[in-house]
Amino acid sequence: MNLAAATNESLAEMSNVLIYSSMAVYTLAFLAHIAEWVFGSRSKVGRTAAALTEQPAAAAPAPKVTVQVKGGTAVLEKPKVVTRAAAGARDVPDGPGAAGGTVKGDLYGRIAVSLTALAFLVEAAGVVTRALSVQRAPWGNMYEFSITFSTVAVGAYLGFLAARKNVRWMGLALVTTVLLDLGIATTWLYTDSDQLVPALHSYWLWIHVSTAIFCGAVFYLGAVATLLYLFRDSYENKLATGGNPGSFARSVLERLPAAASLDKFAYRVNAAVFPLWTFTIIAGAIWAGDAWGRYWGWDAKEVWSFITWVGYAAYLHARATAGWKGRKAAYIALIAFACFLFNYYGVNIFVSSKHSYAGV
């Protein structure tokens, strides 16, 4: 074995160690998030106080507008500003978060975020080391795609936190999903470092696949927000109609952002990344023209990428249609993300196509 091969093998082993190490740190972050939710549920007073501090100043009188009327003046109420929102949206304040407004819960939440950031750095180092071991982009098979995907998803989450966006409520769901993703990747999808099939030897690998990974990661964040929106909306609807939610629902759902806030977050991230998903499909078509001599051949991967595009386009259209806002649009968004998941797992594993690079 020559020196270069030995070096690449050592880098591959180091990458594996880093990925497993990141899983260990993610597990600690998972436990810290659990502690945040548990301690946050113990103080009803703390949660109520935190919720009251976030109440909008609805009682304050609206500013007046003075206008000239035939030589005199008249005072008008400030016009109501109408904004696009989910159908049946209620004027409900955001919950106090997983920590429930408690000091101990908040402490564990901060620890969880710190551990998540540490795990992200370790996992990112594992992805980079994998790239160095194969001397190419680290997403030539499903194992590499999976570890990169989870890294980008966590990076996007930490980016929102760094921008001071209220997304810490997503931490537990995110870390749980990342652990599941890495568990599947290391158990069933792992393949040794190897070179690519000839069709993938192109600079389009960096462009097309990297944008697909980023889009999928952001679509995932939108899907989590959409799913939680459905639960929170049902909870708010039950309260509005005089219902009595169970103790678990009160403990968990009342600490989430309001349904309108979750709906708005999901819409914004999906709408922001949709043009990039469009570019991903176009870039793939250009790459297919270079590699196979045709831009579109109705290959399974191409078909399901287009179906995913149609799903998110239908979601955005539904958001602009009065009768389809709210829950109906949310269902479409979840169906669209399910199409993305099938495009990744189902097509790569169960369908024979030109894009079958699972390596499993």
Side-chain angles (χ1 to χ4, degrees), residues 90 233-245:
R90 311 167 192 87
D233 183 65
S234 296
Y235 172 76
E236 292 179 6
N237 184 59
K238 181 171 287 189
L239 290 179
T241 55
N244 185 26

Side-chain angles (χ1 to χ4, degrees), residues 154-318:
V154 176
Y157 165 74
L158 294 174
F160 279 116
L161 286 177
R164 299 186 181 279
K165 301 297 182 181
N166 177 25
V167 295
R168 203 168 87 184
W169 45 267
M170 192 184 293
L172 179 58
L174 174 69
V175 171
T176 303
T177 306
V178 168
L179 283 171
L180 179 62
D181 174 74
L182 292 178
I184 293 174
T186 55
T187 303
W188 290 299
L189 303 180
Y190 180 79
T191 54
D192 293 328
S193 300
D194 200 359
Q195 292 305 308
L196 300 174
V197 296
L200 293 182
H201 283 288
S202 172
Y203 60 89
W204 283 105
L205 176 67
W206 291 92
I207 301 173
H208 171 65
V209 183
S210 63
T211 53
I213 292 173
F214 179 79
C215 289
V218 178
F219 280 149
Y220 163 76
L221 298 182
V224 172
T226 300
L227 186 62
L228 293 178
Y229 156 74
L230 292 174
F231 285 110
R232 173 76 187 203
D233 183 65
S234 296
Y235 172 76
E236 292 179 6
N237 184 59
K238 181 171 287 189
L239 290 179
T241 55
N244 185 26
S247 58
F248 178 80
R250 286 186 175 276
S251 175
V252 175
L253 296 179
E254 74 177 5
R255 286 181 277 166
L256 291 175
S261 298
L262 291 169
D263 181 61
K264 183 185 298 184
F265 175 81
Y267 170 69
R268 286 181 174 178
V269 296
N270 286 331
V273 82
F274 179 73
L276 192 58
W277 182 249
T278 305
F279 169 78
T280 301
I281 296 177
I282 296 173
I286 297 173
W287 188 9
D290 291 342
W292 301 316
R294 92 290 189 279
Y295 294 102
W296 192 268
W298 296 104
D299 183 73
K301 179 72 70 172
E302 297 167 348
V303 169
W304 279 96
S305 295
F306 180 67
I307 291 175
T308 303
W309 184 91
V310 171
Y312 278 105
Y315 164 72
L316 297 178
H317 178 71

